Amino acid sequence: MDKLSKAERRKQKREEKALKKKKAVKFPPGFEEPPTEAKRIAPIPDLHLKIVKFHEKPTQDKSVYIPTVEVFSLDCHLTWCTTISDLDGEWSWREKRVWTDEEWSEQILPKFNLLEGSTWNEILNVHKTNAKGGKSVPSHHDQELMTLDREAQNRWIEIGLEEFDTAFRFRFSNTVRAWGIRLQGHFYLVWWERFHKIYRVGH
């Protein structure tokens, strides 16, 4: 038998030493040594909760899309309140700013309750009224404060709304209007007018 080289003897000693060390380890009854071959990792389950689904392939820039205030406003349904309504005094054309109980129960409340079933997109783009030339225009829309009657502009500032340079106007009949502020999906009713005097030009 050929003698082992020094390198082979060192390798043989290492193997014998490793074998003795392995036999010295005691496992509890019923324990099975793990197989030497690697296990395959189970596939990730198909979760149905909290998964964002895209109708189109997402971009690769990793940016997060945050809807603007306007997008949110158009998608949500109308809510409204009278918390900042201006009910004191009367206009120079002898129209009281406060509404009567009858106006509240027969006009204001029913009309706004009906609109609560509409989104702002429907309110702004579907509700139309006839205009000159056979055209139709939105019945309800934003109105620049500077286009209102001077008295209304001054009153707007007097009641502390100077930070808002745009009002929102609902048209409910030929002359009846509801004026206020639209913040996202909520409408704050400020004035209920009967004679179409707050905005005198055109419609």
Side-chain angles (χ1 to χ4, degrees):
M1 180 180 293
D2 296 333
K3 291 184 177 181
L4 299 176
S5 64
K6 290 182 179 180
E8 290 174 335
R9 285 200 298 273
R10 285 196 297 270
K11 182 180 178 181
Q12 186 178 26
K13 287 181 179 180
R14 285 197 301 269
E15 291 176 350
E16 290 175 352
K17 186 176 180 180
L19 182 61
K20 290 179 181 179
K21 186 177 180 181
K22 183 177 180 181
K23 290 181 178 179
V25 178
K26 294 183 179 180
F27 298 99
F31 182 87
E32 295 183 1
E33 292 186 59
T36 55
E37 62 179 12
K39 287 186 176 181
R40 294 183 179 180
I41 300 175
I44 298 174
D46 182 16
L47 300 179
H48 297 286
L49 298 177
K50 298 183 180 180
I51 297 295
V52 179
K53 297 182 179 180
F54 295 92
H55 292 290
E56 298 179 359
K57 185 178 180 180
T59 59
Q60 301 300 318
D61 57 7
K62 297 183 180 180
S63 62
V64 179
Y65 171 69
I66 301 176
T68 63
V69 170
E70 184 63 22
V71 169
F72 174 77
S73 299
L74 294 178
D75 289 340
C76 67
H77 287 76
L78 165 81
T79 58
W80 65 287
C81 71
T82 59
T83 55
I84 63 171
S85 295
D86 179 24
L87 306 177
D88 294 332
E90 64 179 21
W91 299 102
S92 61
W93 51 88
R94 300 296 179 88
E95 178 183 0
K96 292 185 179 298
R97 295 191 183 96
V98 66
W99 48 75
T100 65
D101 291 340
E102 183 179 357
E103 287 174 327
W104 172 259
S105 61
E106 296 185 7
Q107 296 184 57
I108 301 174
L109 194 59
K111 290 181 184 299
F112 276 107
N113 284 346
L114 184 62
L115 283 172
E116 284 180 345
S118 302
T119 65
W120 277 100
N121 183 57
E122 294 169 333
I123 291 170
L124 295 172
N125 299 312
V126 177
H127 297 263
K128 303 281 186 178
T129 186
N130 295 328
K132 294 180 180 180
K135 298 180 180 180
S136 61
V137 295
S139 297
H140 321 301
H141 56 76
D142 290 320
Q143 189 77 45
E144 292 294 327
L145 186 64
M146 296 300 295
T147 64
L148 303 186
D149 182 83
R150 176 62 67 177
E151 182 180 346
Q153 293 182 42
N154 293 337
R155 182 64 180 176
W156 188 266
I157 296 172
E158 185 180 341
I159 60 178
L161 300 179
E162 62 272 10
E163 65 178 294
F164 303 101
D165 55 10
T166 302
F168 191 85
R169 188 207 73 177
F170 283 98
R171 172 182 174 142
F172 288 129
S173 73
N174 188 38
T175 60
V176 175
R177 305 289 187 271
W179 294 88
I181 300 169
R182 179 171 68 99
L183 293 179
Q184 293 193 352
H186 191 78
F187 177 72
Y188 294 84
L189 176 61
V190 177
W191 297 318
W192 175 265
E193 70 157 333
R194 310 155 185 87
F195 308 123
H196 195 7
K197 300 289 187 180
I198 291 177
Y199 175 61
R200 299 172 183 264
V201 182
H203 55 282

